[in-house]
Amino acid sequence: MEPPTDVERQEKKDIDIAHGEASGELRTVDLGLDASEVVTSVEKAEEARILRKVDLRLVPLLSFLYLVAFIDRTNIGNANIAGMATDLKLEGLMYNVALTLFFVPYGFFEVPSNIVLKMVRPSLWISLLLFCWGVVSTLMGVVQSYDGLLAARFFLGVAEAGFFPASTFLLTIWYKRYEVQRRMAIFYASASLAGAFSGLLAFLIQKMAGVGGYNGWRWIFILEGLVPVLLSFVVWKVLPDSPETAKFLTTKEKEFIINRLALETGSGHGRVTNSDRIKLHHIIAAAKDWRIWCGVVCFWANTIGVYGFTATVPAIIQGLGYTSALAQLMTVPVYVVAMIFVLGFAWASDYYQQRTPFIIAGFCIAIVGLIAELAIPHPAMTGVSYFFLYLVAAGLYSPFICLVCLIGNNLAPSSKRAVGMAILISFGNFGGICGSNIFLTAQAPRYPVGYGTGLAICCTAVIGTLVLRFAYARENKRRDDFMAGKTDDEVRAMYTEQELLDLGDRSPFFRYTL
């Protein structure tokens, strides 16, 4: 019997696709079908239309939720100068300890949270996290003692721990590697805006001082905490879980998104999977990948700097001689500029299909700002000091998503990516413990320990990023040399299909993003 011709194969493919659409069944390479038998590409205009549908359902919602999360996490800085320090009699390092305590459970619970995420619906899990942190944040407004503040900060860390790693992982199962950073940057830019909104909201809310017998700082916590509680009753219904279950997509659109991601290995050969069930070997593989831990060191440059800077910048500006209310407002443009840098770096990184140059560039901008702040004879030259706060913020915020995408792009299958990204973010966020204790009140307005520590870790991050680039490039070359002169079929004959999927980013077909 003669093998079918190309025309006959295409006719069979068209019939099979039509049958799949009629029955509602998804025809994907994850089911063992060949790439020639499924939908892997569409017209450019159609592709853009499908991605816009996904963008509108996913990115604005996650971005708004992260804005809310970051406000609830950092509004303690606004509350501190709005009367909390006086009412709770905070002295010495008491405020710094309260900042620090948040990051202990926040770091420990991120990896378990992402493991749970692979077992339940993301929309349900994220809604539960929203409700819990909203309740805790609201209760911070009624604490009557320092011990109560510590307890609230601890449980806020528990409740918020899973949101960021869950959201960033969720984005990676919808977009290709050089599409995801622009979306993730919009998501993360909301953290930059959080600083702006937090200062503006605090400026307005603290005017409620005396309402209900509460001081203004209490209303900051209460009102900003009620928002995620209300949102939790909506999110579980509207947040899409995965391309496979997305009700707003047609069968063909689902198949297109699933297949294009499965076939993206960086080499144009082989495939990966996002439909795997998490198993112990995925957790072990992520924990043993030294490049994730190198990424953690680079991550510390962001968390040490950002969390220390964000929690202290209102006080830094107030220390330049401005009133509390004006200091709140003057934080707004600093974070707006940081947001612009985040978005600009993300667009350029996706456009040029490079991550590490932009990570290094961002930290170099921060290094310039930090050196300047150390050199300025505070409290003199207030205008110059305020200007360099813009460079510090822009430099600390802009490389963060580049780093998260670098590690996320280079992990497969999705279960290893879920655990690996959680490890990166979890242990990386322990830098917040350090960051919360480097801007010491007794050292105001010069803050030599704060700026000096930030400078040292940013320099370390530049070195760590260069190490990652060299390691990834060397492994890509090794695989290119291995594949030279071999056909895909010859390489596949060395493994079973499941072994190739389990290898994930260690597959000879996979190429790392640089």
Side-chain angles (χ1 to χ4, degrees), residues 10 91 102 113 145 218 239 249 411:
Q10 185 60 44
E91 300 174 350
F102 170 89
S113 176
S145 66
R218 294 187 180 276
L239 181 66
L249 297 175
L411 294 174

Side-chain angles (χ1 to χ4, degrees), residues 4-192:
T5 65
D6 289 342
V7 173
E8 289 171 335
R9 288 195 189 97
Q10 185 60 44
E11 288 177 348
K12 182 179 184 300
K13 176 182 175 181
D14 292 340
I15 293 171
D16 288 341
I17 290 173
H19 173 73
E21 290 177 343
S23 64
E25 296 175 355
L26 296 179
R27 295 180 55 79
T28 67
V29 291
D30 283 336
L31 297 179
L33 297 174
D34 188 80
S36 63
E37 301 177 291
V38 300
V39 178
T40 58
S41 63
V42 295
E43 296 283 342
K44 279 290 182 184
E46 177 68 2
E47 179 181 25
R49 185 190 65 80
I50 294 171
L51 289 179
R52 276 197 303 271
K53 286 179 70 174
V54 177
D55 288 342
L56 291 174
R57 288 298 298 266
L58 194 64
V59 178
L61 178 58
L62 288 178
S63 300
F64 180 68
L65 295 181
Y66 192 48
L67 169 68
V68 172
F70 214 81
I71 286 176
D72 285 339
R73 182 184 315 174
T74 60
N75 58 9
I76 189 172
N78 303 108
N80 188 50
I81 65 172
M84 182 184 74
T86 302
D87 289 358
L88 298 185
K89 299 179 175 58
L90 303 186
E91 300 174 350
L93 294 177
M94 294 173 72
Y95 173 67
N96 297 89
V97 172
L99 292 180
T100 302
L101 197 56
F102 170 89
F103 295 100
V104 178
Y106 188 81
F108 279 119
F109 282 93
E110 284 180 310
V111 175
S113 176
N114 259 24
I115 293 174
V116 173
L117 183 72
K118 285 290 292 181
M119 300 177 180
V120 302
R121 286 172 47 203
S123 57
L124 189 61
W125 182 240
I126 289 175
S127 296
L128 180 62
L129 296 177
L130 270 169
F131 180 82
C132 291
W133 95 56
V135 168
V136 174
S137 183
T138 301
L139 292 177
M140 285 179 67
V142 297
V143 296
Q144 299 298 321
S145 66
Y146 177 60
D147 290 342
L149 178 64
L150 293 181
R153 287 290 291 178
F154 179 88
F155 286 106
L156 185 64
V158 173
E160 278 202 33
F163 178 73
F164 186 82
S167 298
T168 51
F169 170 74
L170 192 58
L171 288 170
T172 68
I173 66 173
W174 286 88
Y175 300 102
K176 294 173 72 173
R177 63 172 68 182
Y178 297 122
E179 296 169 345
V180 71
Q181 185 167 329
R182 280 166 287 173
R183 277 81 178 182
M184 206 175 285
I186 294 172
F187 167 72
Y188 181 66
S190 58
S192 306

Side-chain angles (χ1 to χ4, degrees), residues 375-386:
I376 292 170
H378 301 285
M381 305 172 67
T382 56
V384 176
S385 180
Y386 180 64

Side-chain angles (χ1 to χ4, degrees), residues 198-458:
S198 188
L200 185 59
L201 288 173
F203 172 73
L204 297 173
I205 295 174
Q206 73 181 47
K207 295 181 181 297
M208 293 179 63
V211 176
Y214 286 160
N215 204 342
W217 69 268
R218 294 187 180 276
W219 284 112
I220 292 174
F221 287 131
I222 292 170
L223 294 182
E224 293 178 359
L226 286 174
V227 174
V229 173
L230 297 175
L231 286 172
S232 67
F233 293 100
V234 178
V235 168
W236 74 276
K237 263 296 195 188
V238 300
L239 181 66
D241 293 311
S242 69
E244 290 87 347
T245 60
K247 295 180 180 179
F248 65 94
L249 297 175
T250 66
T251 298
K252 183 179 178 180
E253 291 169 345
K254 293 177 185 178
E255 291 172 351
F256 169 65
I257 291 176
I258 294 166
N259 291 324
R260 72 199 288 264
L261 291 174
L263 295 172
E264 190 194 31
T265 60
S267 67
H269 306 276
R271 70 182 180 93
V272 292
T273 181
N274 283 325
S275 61
D276 52 309
R277 291 186 176 277
I278 193 165
K279 296 179 181 177
L280 180 61
H281 68 84
H282 294 125
I283 301 172
I284 294 173
K288 289 170 63 177
D289 193 332
W290 70 268
R291 289 161 300 204
I292 297 175
W293 297 103
C294 185
V296 167
V297 175
C298 300
F299 200 105
W300 284 338
N302 176 267
T303 52
I304 289 175
V306 165
Y307 287 118
F309 182 81
T310 302
T312 315
V313 72
I316 292 175
I317 295 175
Q318 186 181 20
L320 297 177
Y322 300 99
T323 65
S324 170
L326 188 56
Q328 305 277 25
L329 285 177
M330 290 179 69
T331 63
V332 175
V334 174
Y335 291 112
V336 171
V337 169
M339 179 201 68
I340 293 170
F341 270 75
V342 168
L343 295 175
F345 271 47
W347 182 89
S349 179
D350 273 353
Y351 180 81
Y352 292 106
Q353 300 189 357
Q354 293 282 320
R355 305 292 188 224
T356 52
F358 295 95
I359 298 172
I360 292 169
F363 286 129
C364 286
I365 292 171
I367 287 170
V368 171
L370 291 164
I371 290 174
E373 291 293 354
L374 284 168
I376 292 170
H378 301 285
M381 305 172 67
T382 56
V384 176
S385 180
Y386 180 64
F387 168 77
F388 279 106
L389 290 179
Y390 284 84
L391 292 190
V392 174
L396 290 174
Y397 276 96
S398 58
F400 177 67
I401 289 300
C402 300
L403 177 60
V404 173
C405 285
L406 175 71
I407 300 300
N409 288 163
N410 292 333
L411 294 174
S414 67
S415 290
K416 180 183 177 182
R417 190 187 318 126
V419 177
M421 291 181 73
I423 289 174
L424 173 74
I425 297 166
S426 170
F427 286 89
N429 269 312
F430 281 127
I433 295 175
C434 175
S436 300
N437 290 281
I438 57 177
F439 285 91
L440 306 175
T441 304
Q443 295 185 339
R446 298 196 64 193
Y447 298 107
V449 172
Y451 293 129
T453 304
L455 175 61
I457 194 62
C458 282

